[in-house]
Amino acid sequence: MKQNNTAAQVTMKDVANVAGVSTATVSRALMMPEKVAHQTREKVDNAIQQTGYIPYLPSRNHKNNQSKILLVMSLDITDPFLTDVIQGIQQTAAEYGYMVLLLGNQQQSIEQASLSPLLNQVDGIILLGANSPLDIHHHESLPPMVMANEYLPELKLPTIHIDNLTAAFNAVNYLQQIGHRRIACISGPAHLHLSHYRLQGYIQAIQRSGIALEKRYMLSGSLTFETGSTALTQLMSLPQPPSAIFCHSDIMAIGVIHQAKKIGIKIPEELSIVGFDDIALAQYADPPLTTVAQPRYNIGHQAVLMLLELLQGCPVKSNSVLLDSELIVRESTAKPHS
């Protein structure tokens, strides 16, 4: 049902009515989304978009012109990888007396002008990725801002991230070292810049080993279970299927494992799988997943510290701060059986 209220008139109760949940659930979804079920968060997000609701924010402290609120923006705050990143942000911000407002809102459909009331009430912004409704190419007119997870050097935004290219290269190189030569890659979507870096790491590892790059081994899609499942079926139908698959996310990799079991492929005896991120679910997959571990909590922690430096007027030493990643070898990989 279309709402006739203006954004200023819309209340949290209106959002709750549209979403079919309580006002307490709406509040929790806004402030602590990691404690709300995925489907419920989607209902609340959709209701917020439908009603045009703008969350209430405390007035600024006129003595120092600070609201003590940080805005965290992400295309999808329900991504399991971001759970620990957001926890690092929230806990670190709280230590310094700041509240955190999370905005995960299919950002491509939101205009910057509609966010102006919100932007005027926050001290700083953390972007969990480069896809944003904000004109970040002209971020000088916006509140102080840092980016976490993705890296776009042309923006010259202070950024906390890992070296995705090198991490991907090392993961593929590990598969080569244990004897694999037919290695496929399931890439993330093209609009994610980290997908390009991870794909380049895969390509460089293949080319450096002297193996011809096989285009049929390179598939891409959204970072979902379904993408991994569908890609596995496609890859194993090739005349010469791969003996190992490098996935751009653990979610994809778990989708691959699920589909492999359905069609009777033994992992790792017949097919090795490597993921990326080391989300909590990775170690409980069957078999436990070999994956690139990102310092998820520390990414959030460091992003807040970097933003607070900007808010205090301190020059940030470098636009790009690299954190270490690590390949965690578990039971989803082994030497090829033939």
Side-chain angles (χ1 to χ4, degrees), residues 12 22 68 111 170-171 176 195 204 206 220 234 271 284 290 297:
M12 189 177 291
S22 67
K68 304 296 285 187
E111 295 182 359
N170 290 339
Q176 294 169 331
S195 296
Q204 288 186 19
I206 297 296
S220 65
Q234 186 174 340
L271 181 68
Y284 297 107
T290 295
Y297 183 94

Side-chain angles (χ1 to χ4, degrees), residues 12-23:
M12 189 177 291
K13 184 172 178 59
D14 296 322
V15 175
N17 289 338
V18 172
V21 299
S22 67
T23 53

Side-chain angles (χ1 to χ4, degrees), residues 38 41-42 45 73-80 82 86 103-107 128 223:
H38 173 75
R41 290 198 302 265
E42 285 191 333
D45 283 347
M73 303 182 71
S74 172
L75 195 62
D76 182 12
I77 59 174
T78 66
D79 184 340
L82 295 178
I86 291 172
L103 186 60
N105 45 26
Q106 292 73 49
Q107 296 171 7
L128 298 181
L223 301 174

